[in-house]
Amino acid sequence: MSDLAAHYSRFRVADRLLLTGHSHQAWPDVALEGQIEAFDDAASTVDEKWSRAFAKADKLRDWYRVLLDDPAGDIALGANTHELVVRFLSALDLRSRPRLVTTDGEFHTLRRQLARLAEERIEVVQVPALPADTLAERLAAEVNSSTAAVLVSSVLFETSRIVPDLGGLAFTCAGHGVELLVDAYHALGVVPMSLPDFGLTDVWVVGGGYKYLQLGEGNCFLRLPAHAQRLRPVVTGWFAEFDALADEKDPTRVTYGPGGTRFAGSTYDPTSHYRAAAVIDFFAEQGLTAPVLRDISLRQTTLLATAFDDLLLPASVATRDRSPRKLFGGFLAIRTPRAAEYQKALAERGVLTDSRGDHLRFGPAPYLRDDQLRAAMAAFGEVSA
């Protein structure tokens, strides 16, 4: 992929050490063409733009189906995962089953919202996220007849550890009539995810393209299991009945559209979907399929891990999980009590990373060269000396 950087000239990836690829990857130049197309369609067709915008949205849904190996899956789109998770939560029968099971390693979208629900007397059980190898089993042990849902990531956002055996957890949840929501945000684009192969055809999946997929903001999704058609989200937008607006309404009962429209919101800015459609085409042209992206990610994170080991830093300064790299997602997490301090020092040297608690995160991307990755880790050696 040595020439890939040429397609990201506006982000200047060839000249910058952008090691925040797990948070916000650069956009290829064609993304701007998508945004301009959105403006031109609005200018030329005004309110008739929506048929063109919906075609872009359908293209985005189709791509998520490919990434999930779920060709017939129902997909609801949203500007962010929070709005989609809130609609999901609003569809649960929390009066009869006032218990939610999750982990202490979830991203802030779940952490904050579930903590607020706990203040309103919803029982929220937090299972320690580590060790990841036994997390699914420990979550399953907390499932009972009072549980409405289990909410867990497929890749942990602080450590990059992949959570194995979610299929076993899904089997347990199904046996108790409990919903399982899997946050796949840190998987798509770096860890191939086949719902049939993983035993996850009957679960909810939430994620988006802001991180590894280079789609930018406003391109999140909620994948619905088949039984979702029985649920009626309390938080609902008028797009959930968009195709039936002219139909006669039952004044005593709110109706919902089919498939993913059941969990739709309301009027949105379609520019993000135009940008996404352009990037999707670019990925196809460059051969950036899920297996290829995984190969690139593993090679790059292995290079970073090796370069870190070569620094020979004392464990009291910084260390890392030395499990095989195939057990991790798309970034290298270095554990250090001075993570935030080192992040700032690296930024002053032109190396952009980020930190979460005591984890300093180095996130590569396909357009970065090997010498850029080595230079970034060498800079860490200098600031930590």
Side-chain angles (χ1 to χ4, degrees):
M1 310 305 294
S2 58
D3 61 342
L4 196 61
H7 298 284
Y8 297 79
S9 63
R10 291 180 175 272
F11 273 77
R12 298 187 294 110
V13 300
D15 307 318
R16 304 164 73 187
L17 298 181
L18 300 178
L19 272 295
T20 52
H22 54 285
S23 178
H24 184 312
Q25 291 201 5
W27 303 343
D29 295 337
V30 296
L32 179 58
E33 297 174 15
Q35 297 196 172
I36 293 173
E37 183 184 359
F39 186 95
D40 288 344
D41 278 358
S44 63
T45 64
V46 195
D47 204 36
E48 297 301 316
K49 70 184 180 186
W50 288 105
S51 61
R52 301 185 185 187
F54 290 163
K56 302 295 185 182
D58 285 340
K59 186 166 190 169
L60 180 59
R61 290 188 184 93
D62 287 342
W63 201 40
Y64 284 134
R65 292 184 181 108
V66 169
L67 293 173
L68 296 172
D69 190 19
D70 186 35
D74 286 329
I75 302 287
L77 298 178
N80 53 68
T81 57
H82 180 254
E83 68 172 84
L84 295 165
V85 168
V86 166
R87 286 179 219 149
F88 163 76
L89 291 170
S90 78
L92 303 177
D93 185 4
L94 293 176
R95 290 190 182 94
S96 300
R97 292 183 169 224
R99 189 169 189 265
L100 300 171
V101 177
T102 188
T103 85
D104 65 1
E106 299 308 308
F107 187 69
H108 307 302
T109 295
L110 289 180
R111 175 197 60 78
R112 177 179 171 84
Q113 188 61 69
L114 296 184
R116 183 65 184 90
L117 287 175
E119 294 178 353
E120 298 301 321
R121 297 188 178 89
I122 299 296
E123 181 185 4
V124 177
V125 178
Q126 277 196 348
V127 174
L130 298 178
D133 290 342
T134 62
L135 178 54
E137 179 183 353
R138 290 181 287 113
L139 286 168
E142 294 291 342
V143 172
N144 59 30
S145 59
S146 297
T147 306
V150 177
L151 306 95
V152 60
S153 294
S154 59
V155 177
L156 300 175
F157 88 102
E158 288 183 312
T159 65
S160 192
R161 278 300 299 264
I162 297 171
V163 179
D165 198 27
L166 290 178
L169 174 59
F171 181 81
T172 299
C173 287
H176 289 79
V178 173
E179 305 295 345
L180 173 59
L181 179 103
V182 176
D183 182 347
Y185 220 138
H186 271 286
L188 298 185
V190 285
V191 180
M193 188 173 184
S194 170
L195 299 190
D197 290 351
F198 291 2
L200 298 176
T201 55
D202 202 34
V203 311
W204 307 74
V205 183
V206 69
Y210 183 73
K211 303 181 188 297
Y212 306 98
L213 299 176
Q214 304 177 12
L215 304 184
E217 302 86 347
N219 288 303
C220 291
F221 74 92
L222 176 67
R223 182 268 182 186
L224 283 61
H227 68 267
Q229 300 308 307
R230 302 195 300 265
L231 302 183
R232 305 176 71 248
V234 174
V235 178
T236 183
W238 67 276
F239 270 40
E241 60 174 6
F242 189 89
D243 293 331
L245 290 175
D247 296 348
E248 184 176 349
K249 303 294 187 297
D250 180 349
T252 65
R253 186 174 177 83
V254 173
T255 59
Y256 296 83
T261 58
R262 175 170 293 263
F263 282 77
S266 296
T267 309
Y268 64 96
D269 180 356
T271 303
S272 59
H273 294 166
Y274 278 80
R275 182 176 65 241
V279 174
I280 290 168
D281 286 342
F282 172 77
F283 268 48
E285 293 165 1
Q286 299 299 319
L288 296 174
T289 62
V292 169
L293 290 169
R294 178 59 172 167
D295 288 345
I296 294 171
S297 176
L298 279 176
R299 190 184 65 78
Q300 290 185 323
T301 55
T302 298
L303 188 158
L304 285 168
T306 301
F308 170 76
D309 294 345
D310 290 344
L311 296 177
L312 301 176
L313 297 174
S316 58
V317 174
T319 187
R320 69 175 181 89
D321 186 334
R322 297 182 183 277
S323 302
R325 291 309 306 172
K326 66 180 181 179
L327 302 181
F328 294 87
F331 62 91
L332 174 68
I334 294 174
R335 192 161 192 174
T336 169
R338 301 170 64 183
E341 177 186 338
Y342 288 149
Q343 176 194 347
K344 181 179 179 181
L346 285 169
E348 291 173 351
R349 292 172 179 253
V351 181
L352 298 188
T353 61
D354 69 6
S355 62
R356 294 290 185 269
D358 61 357
H359 290 95
L360 180 65
R361 305 191 302 177
F362 284 74
Y367 44 73
L368 293 179
R369 304 184 308 272
D370 289 358
D371 65 289
Q372 290 177 294
L373 303 182
R374 294 191 184 96
M377 194 56 67
F380 177 66
E382 294 171 2
V383 301
S384 61

